[in-house]
Amino acid sequence: MEIQLTEYGQRRERFMKKIGTGTAIFRSSSTVVMHNDVEHIFRQDSDFFYLTGFNEPEAVAVLVPQHEEHHFVLFVQPKDPEQETWTGYRCGVEKAKEFYGADEAYSINELDSKLPQYIKKADRIYYHLGPDKNFNDMILSHWQRLMAAYSKRGTGPIAIEDPNPILHPMRQVKSLTELEMLRTAIGISVIAHNRARKFVQVGHYEYEIQAEIEHTFRIHGSMGPAYPSVVASGANTCVLHYIENCRQIQENELLLIDAGCSYGYYNGDITRTFPVSGKFTGEQKAIYELVLEAQLKSIESVIPGKPYNEFHDKAVCILVQGLIDLGLLKGDLEEIIKEEKYKPFYMHQTGHWLGLDVHDVGIYKQGGGTWQLLESGHLLTVEPGIYISPNIKPTEGQPEIPERWHGIGIRIEDDVLVTKTGHEVLTAGVPKMIDEISL
């Protein structure tokens, strides 16, 4: 399964309509070296990939809606048999037009000389200043030269704008093909979670569970983990991004697994927490019931037209009230929330956008403080949690936490699609109800 060339073309056309007589420049990711001279597995820049489908490093895409012939120009690495022997085959200039629909293609070595012809008639340049200062300086240098001649020619780019405010809302609403890719990534992630839960035993090491999960990702055709897999037992469940995965699992502990795979660069993201021995302790069950209630109620708010923050606010209210009822917080509900006295237990947001990036692009709040409204085609996670670290320090005026609660960390995360009439939980295949995960 893959995105077809026609869809990439449609994306570029939509984007170019929005930039009018501007010229947009997008740069690919570069390779990253490990062990002195060995490259990490290449991962393309998501914006570049969204518009081109081109999956090689050291490339530049130029979109020029006002050009007579060349609306989509690719600069790529030229064919080099000697280098390709070491690092893999390249598309090359000759095939860039055929394989990726470019109107014109050049060697990346010609970028500096060829770029001016594509920006000199634009009214502005759309370019996101990235981490490569030399590349940024090259773009700025071309712009400055054209600006210096503006008073004589009366044409040229009078500004540089970031394309993200135009491109990222496009990425935020998923197409039908993208949803199929996401369903595949999420479906494989579901299989891996279910396999891991059946495999887990007291005495296993966390890395053994990780190996089962990531093995399952690969044998089902995914590219591998979408992010470093979290397999956390005992007090490690209280560390949000715990990735060492080296501890031996003990009796009567919880295991928190936060893992998802990447399929064609589209990602799943699932978290489940369950008792390793099959039975919750009283304290574990109380916290789990609270997080589960918060999650189920939050998901109800994921419907078109609702502001993004509503499901988070609902989760916070439920979690705080539950902690008050358990004696772990004290005081007025609204005051505790206003003063964020719950933060030692719940320090993150209840979700994020999901797509080509695990924490996908797209604003959460509009200018002026208005929250983004959910719409059909949005995909997000819903992941409340409570974490009672052994080192927890209550805020001023709040009670000390009895030791029997220490080391309990619980998060439940699902991937939820906003539909035309409501929502669909794409990760529903991974059990989370108490009678499904415990004896």
Side-chain angles (χ1 to χ4, degrees), residues 7 26 48 56 64 106 112 125 140 179 206 234 304 323 414 417:
E7 180 159 336
F26 294 92
F48 188 92
E56 293 181 21
V64 200
Y106 303 100
D112 200 36
I125 297 170
L140 292 171
L179 289 176
E206 294 162 341
L323 291 169
D414 280 302
L417 173 66

Side-chain angles (χ1 to χ4, degrees), residues 327-344:
L328 301 177
L329 286 173
K330 67 177 183 180
D332 178 72
L333 173 68
E334 293 183 3
E335 198 68 25
I336 290 173
I337 293 173
K338 180 180 179 181
E339 297 180 3
E340 298 187 333
K341 292 183 179 293
Y342 63 88
K343 282 294 184 76

Side-chain angles (χ1 to χ4, degrees), residues 62-81:
V62 183
L63 303 185
V64 200
Q66 80 281 359
H67 196 277
E68 295 83 357
E69 299 178 80
H70 304 159
H71 295 169
F72 172 36
V73 182
L74 269 177
F75 292 84
V76 303
Q77 293 183 104
K79 297 289 288 181
D80 185 333

Side-chain angles (χ1 to χ4, degrees), residues 216-276:
T216 305
F217 289 165
R218 291 297 284 156
I219 65 171
H220 284 85
S222 89
M223 303 169 73
Y227 52 91
S229 300
V230 176
V231 182
S233 62
N236 292 337
T237 60
C238 300
V239 181
L240 299 183
H241 294 159
Y242 170 80
I243 57 173
E244 286 82 359
N245 301 343
C246 59
R247 182 177 177 276
Q248 189 176 34
I249 301 167
Q250 306 299 316
E251 192 87 28
N252 299 321
E253 290 185 337
L254 296 174
L255 187 69
L256 184 154
I257 299 175
D258 185 345
C261 81
S262 182
Y263 183 87
Y265 283 160
Y266 290 87
N267 304 290
D269 187 2
I270 308 172
T271 307
R272 289 293 187 268
T273 313
F274 55 89
V276 174

Side-chain angles (χ1 to χ4, degrees), residues 146-310:
L146 290 170
M147 281 299 296
Y150 183 85
S151 60
K152 296 179 180 179
R153 297 190 299 111
T155 61
I158 59 172
I160 292 182
E161 287 192 20
D162 195 316
N164 291 355
I166 297 172
L167 181 61
H168 289 178
M170 291 173 53
R171 281 182 54 187
Q172 200 170 355
V173 179
K174 274 54 179 180
S175 70
L176 292 177
T177 310
E178 286 184 291
L179 289 176
E180 286 302 310
M181 300 287 281
L182 284 158
R183 287 179 187 276
T184 300
I186 292 167
I188 296 171
S189 303
V190 166
I191 293 169
H193 271 262
N194 289 337
R195 178 182 175 92
R197 188 169 59 85
K198 293 176 181 177
F199 175 79
V200 170
Q201 292 181 13
V202 173
H204 276 156
Y205 283 85
E206 294 162 341
Y207 58 75
E208 295 180 80
I209 316 306
Q210 178 185 0
E212 286 295 313
I213 292 168
E214 295 178 5
H215 169 71
T216 305
F217 289 165
R218 291 297 284 156
I219 65 171
H220 284 85
S222 89
M223 303 169 73
Y227 52 91
S229 300
V230 176
V231 182
S233 62
N236 292 337
T237 60
C238 300
V239 181
L240 299 183
H241 294 159
Y242 170 80
I243 57 173
E244 286 82 359
N245 301 343
C246 59
R247 182 177 177 276
Q248 189 176 34
I249 301 167
Q250 306 299 316
E251 192 87 28
N252 299 321
E253 290 185 337
L254 296 174
L255 187 69
L256 184 154
I257 299 175
D258 185 345
C261 81
S262 182
Y263 183 87
Y265 283 160
Y266 290 87
N267 304 290
D269 187 2
I270 308 172
T271 307
R272 289 293 187 268
T273 313
F274 55 89
V276 174
S277 303
K279 188 174 182 180
F280 288 104
T281 67
E283 289 78 15
Q284 291 169 351
K285 185 177 181 182
I287 299 298
Y288 190 92
E289 288 176 333
L290 180 52
V291 174
L292 180 61
E293 179 189 2
Q295 206 235 12
L296 293 173
K297 294 293 185 182
S298 294
I299 290 174
E300 292 178 0
S301 293
V302 180
I303 56 177
K306 290 284 188 180
Y308 179 87
N309 64 311
E310 184 168 311

